[in-house]
């Protein structure tokens, strides 16, 4: 575990007499265990991997999550140490820079409250997933809780009030673990939808996959031409490069410690929705970059430097939004990727997973275990909005023209669908406060059959059911997707 500089812990809420079992120690599960503990709930957390899984490269996290670390002094400090704030610069298929680097930050800073203005940075935080995960797990150990590794959930079994049976999970060893509330945080491909929807939700390929890798920067710095090409900005800030060409979406970026790159391509037999299936770097050249006109040789050098155990060929799959995240009894609840799939182009998979965690812990503390079904209802529309923007970004190449050999002036520094992901309604949201303020109102509306309007979505937006194929068809037919309501404020 990492060094523990700030040992103070948040005050724990009074015991609420609820036991919870979190299944899956990804970022959603770990933060959920922490927040449940803080809210006075008894928690255990299990994970199928035999030990901490250190694979993965990076993800983005924004102020809506970082602000919650105000309750966790160790994480508030550690997060600032391990995060970085990238600038964004667009490039064409030849790797030529076509926009100057700009900071990625919340657009309407005038609209912030005094507390918001003083809090952590409003810029996007990029994280190495392994480092962020380690921070959460270190915090968990500081409260005296350990992830129970090597425990794989096979089946979720709903509570049965008549038979006075708690909800439970059956492990692959045959062991049954039960609790008042079971939280399915087991990511994509978990088995909990059988308990919530009565069936598995089929994953459909988007037809694309993404090569992705991160590895120590020293490997790249040993090549002087690459060291110069991928140097940091004069103030030490990293630049996230997005390369867009005909059918190409690639990223390159380095930090003080790591080199990361990714390349979207047509899904193939070697791609899989897995964070642990690696492929040899030469395959990227043979199957993909050798066929891209103008693709620079130095980019292939970076690809070939990637260590064998760091390169994933992650298939981008889609599952339509499911509004129900709880079992019939309400005692099995899904959070994170187990409840909703995000494409990387949404920049929100980790953010929304952790919002779920914070929100659920608060709802359980204020509403008790008998009203859990209602606790997740105010999250669905918000998540659905961000899923949608991710699909539009993937389908439109982030709204940039996807012709080859684009020049300066052809690209927008921050295109509108990227801006939508950083809008105040996304970034300023406080999931704990929202749960505290809205839960009783939402519950009363449900009980009285009156309507309840969420305010954690774009102002004026009215949710209409949608699916992946229809949305893609709209984009393919050249239709401009109008987002109803105000998505930019
Ligand atoms: C090892 C790993 C590396 C990743 N790397 C990246 C990355 O580089 N960039 C990125 O954007 N996203 C990455 N992700 C996905 C990203 O973390 C999630 O999309 C997002 O943060 C939501 O988190 P989550 O906790 O819901 O899901 P996840 O982070 O996927 O966590 C789910 C956890 O549940 C465990 N689990 C699954 N099934 C069972 C079971 N039956 N019983 C018990 N435990 C189970 C998994 O092992 C995993 O630890 C990675 C995920 C993993 C697991």
């Amino acid at each position: 575990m990492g060094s523990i500089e700030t040992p103070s812990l948040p005050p724990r809420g009074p015991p609420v007499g609820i036991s919870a079992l979190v299944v899956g120690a990804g970022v959603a599960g770990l933060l959920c265990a922490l927040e449940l503990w803080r809210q006075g709930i008894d928690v255990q957390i299990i994970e199928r991997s035999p030990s901490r899984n250190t694979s993965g490269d990076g993800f983005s996290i924004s102020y809506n999550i970082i602000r919650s670390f105000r309750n966790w002094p160790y994480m508030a400090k550690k997060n600032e140490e391990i995060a970085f704030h990238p600038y964004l610069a667009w490039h064409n298929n030849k790797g030529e820079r076509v926009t100057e680097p700009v900071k990625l930050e919340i657009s309407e800073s005038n609209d912030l409250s005094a507390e918001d203005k003083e809090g952590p940075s409003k810029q996007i935080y990029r994280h190495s997933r392994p480092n962020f995960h380690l921070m959460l797990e270190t915090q968990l150990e500081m409260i005296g809780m350990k992830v129970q590794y090597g425990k794989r959930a096979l089946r979720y079994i709903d509570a049965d009030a008549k038979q006075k049976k708690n909800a439970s999970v059956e492990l692959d060893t045959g062991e049954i673990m039960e609790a008042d509330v079971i939280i399915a945080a087991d990511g994509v491909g978990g088995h909990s939808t059988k308990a919530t929807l009565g069936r598995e939700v089929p994953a459909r390929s988007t037809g694309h996959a993404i090569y992705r890798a991160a590895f120590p920067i020293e490997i790249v710095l040993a090549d002087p031409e690459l060291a110069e090409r991928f140097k940091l900005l004069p103030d030490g800030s990293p630049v996230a490069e997005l390369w867009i060409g005909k059918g190409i979406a690639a990223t390159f970026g380095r930090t003080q410690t790591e080199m990361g790159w990714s390349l979207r391509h047509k899904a193939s037999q070697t791609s899989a929705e897995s964070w642990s299936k690696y492929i040899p770097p030469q395959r990227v050249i043979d199957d993909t970059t050798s066929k891209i006109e103008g693709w620079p040789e130095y980019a292939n050098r970076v690809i070939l430097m990637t260590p064998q155990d760091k390169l994933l060929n992650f298939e981008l799959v889609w599952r339509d939004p499911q509004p129900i995240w709880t079992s019939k009894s309400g005692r099995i609840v899904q959070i994170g990727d187990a409840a909703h799939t995000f494409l990387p182009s949404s920049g929100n998979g980790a953010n929304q997973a952790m919002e779920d965690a914070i929100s659920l812990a608060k709802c359980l503390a204020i509403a008790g275990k008998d009203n859990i079904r209602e606790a997740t209802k105010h999250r669905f529309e918000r998540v659905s909005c961000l899923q949608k923007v991710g699909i539009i970004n993937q389908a439109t190449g982030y709204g940039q023209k996807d012709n080859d050999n684009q020049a300066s002036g052809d690209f927008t520094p921050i295109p509108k669908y990227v801006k939508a992901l950083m809008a105040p309604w996304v970034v300023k949201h406080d999931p704990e406060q929202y749960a505290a303020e809205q839960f009783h109102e939402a519950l009363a509306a449900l009980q009285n059959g009156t309507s309840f309007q969420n305010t954690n979505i774009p102002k004026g937006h009215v949710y209409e059911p949608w699916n992946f194929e229809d949305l893609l068809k709209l984009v393919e037919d050249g239709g401009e997707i109008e987002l109803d309501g105000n998505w930019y404020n």
Side-chain angles (χ1 to χ4, degrees), residues 244-248 395-397 400-404 406:
I244 302 286
K246 199 163 173 40
I248 299 166
T396 62
Q400 307 284 24
K401 288 182 201 157
D402 70 349
N403 303 329
D404 279 347
Q406 295 289 300

Side-chain angles (χ1 to χ4, degrees), residues 24 26-28 47-48 53 55-58 129 153 185-186 212 275 336-337 350:
V27 292
E47 163 61 44
R48 71 175 170 191
N53 188 336
S55 69
D57 41 276
R129 185 189 184 275
D186 48 3
R212 54 189 305 161
W275 293 105
D337 283 0

Side-chain angles (χ1 to χ4, degrees), residues 226-466:
L226 292 178
E228 176 60 22
R229 171 62 185 78
F230 292 106
K231 62 177 191 250
L232 299 168
L233 292 176
D235 69 353
S237 298
V239 180
E241 299 187 4
L242 263 87
W243 296 22
I244 302 286
K246 199 163 173 40
I248 299 166
T251 63
F252 284 89
R254 64 156 287 197
T255 64
Q256 302 277 2
T257 55
E258 277 192 330
M259 179 76 204
W261 66 270
S262 72
L263 174 60
R264 182 150 57 78
H265 62 102
K266 287 226 159 22
S268 62
Q269 283 186 337
T270 61
S271 46
E273 193 191 28
S274 162
W275 293 105
S276 54
K277 286 198 179 135
Y278 303 103
I279 60 156
Q282 185 62 44
R283 181 157 282 156
V284 180
I285 318 280
D286 295 345
D287 292 354
T288 308
T289 61
S290 58
K291 295 169 190 156
I292 301 173
E293 218 183 303
W295 182 261
E297 183 276 333
Y298 72 80
N300 282 346
R301 287 217 303 281
V302 175
I303 292 168
L304 288 172
M305 284 173 173
T306 308
Q308 294 280 346
D309 63 343
K310 294 285 180 200
L311 176 53
L312 294 167
N313 187 6
F314 193 88
E315 184 142 351
L316 299 170
V317 305
W318 182 249
R319 297 167 181 85
D320 282 325
Q322 303 297 329
I324 296 171
W325 300 354
T326 53
S327 64
K328 206 165 164 207
S329 74
R331 300 300 185 87
I332 298 173
V333 191
Q334 297 171 314
I335 61 170
D337 283 0
H340 41 70
T341 310
F342 274 94
L343 294 176
S345 45
S346 75
N348 255 280
N351 271 328
Q352 293 309 308
M354 288 190 281
E355 279 193 7
D356 292 344
I358 296 166
S359 170
L360 176 64
K362 185 67 184 175
C363 286
L364 271 176
I366 55 181
K369 56 193 173 195
D370 293 325
N371 288 313
I372 307 168
R373 273 179 83 78
E374 283 65 39
T376 59
K377 293 228 159 86
H378 62 260
R379 299 272 318 136
F380 168 69
E381 290 180 2
R382 175 174 171 83
V383 164
S384 152
C385 289
L386 292 160
Q387 287 175 303
K388 198 179 212 176
V389 182
I391 295 170
I392 299 171
N393 270 327
Q394 175 168 316
T396 62
Y398 296 89
Q400 307 284 24
K401 288 182 201 157
D402 70 349
N403 303 329
D404 279 347
N405 307 327
Q406 295 289 300
S408 183
D410 292 333
F411 279 61
T412 313
I414 304 190
K416 65 177 182 176
Y417 298 128
V418 174
K419 217 176 250 171
L421 297 172
M422 300 183 300
W425 71 270
V426 183
V427 179
K428 279 180 60 188
H429 182 66
D430 182 335
E432 181 171 358
Q433 192 186 342
Y434 189 77
E437 287 171 2
Q438 306 291 328
F439 180 78
H440 289 296
E441 215 178 302
L443 181 61
L446 272 160
Q447 286 167 346
N448 305 333
T450 51
S451 69
F452 170 74
Q453 180 61 51
N454 270 310
T455 52
N456 58 357
I457 54 177
K459 214 173 184 173
H461 167 68
V462 179
Y463 172 76
E464 296 282 350
W466 56 273

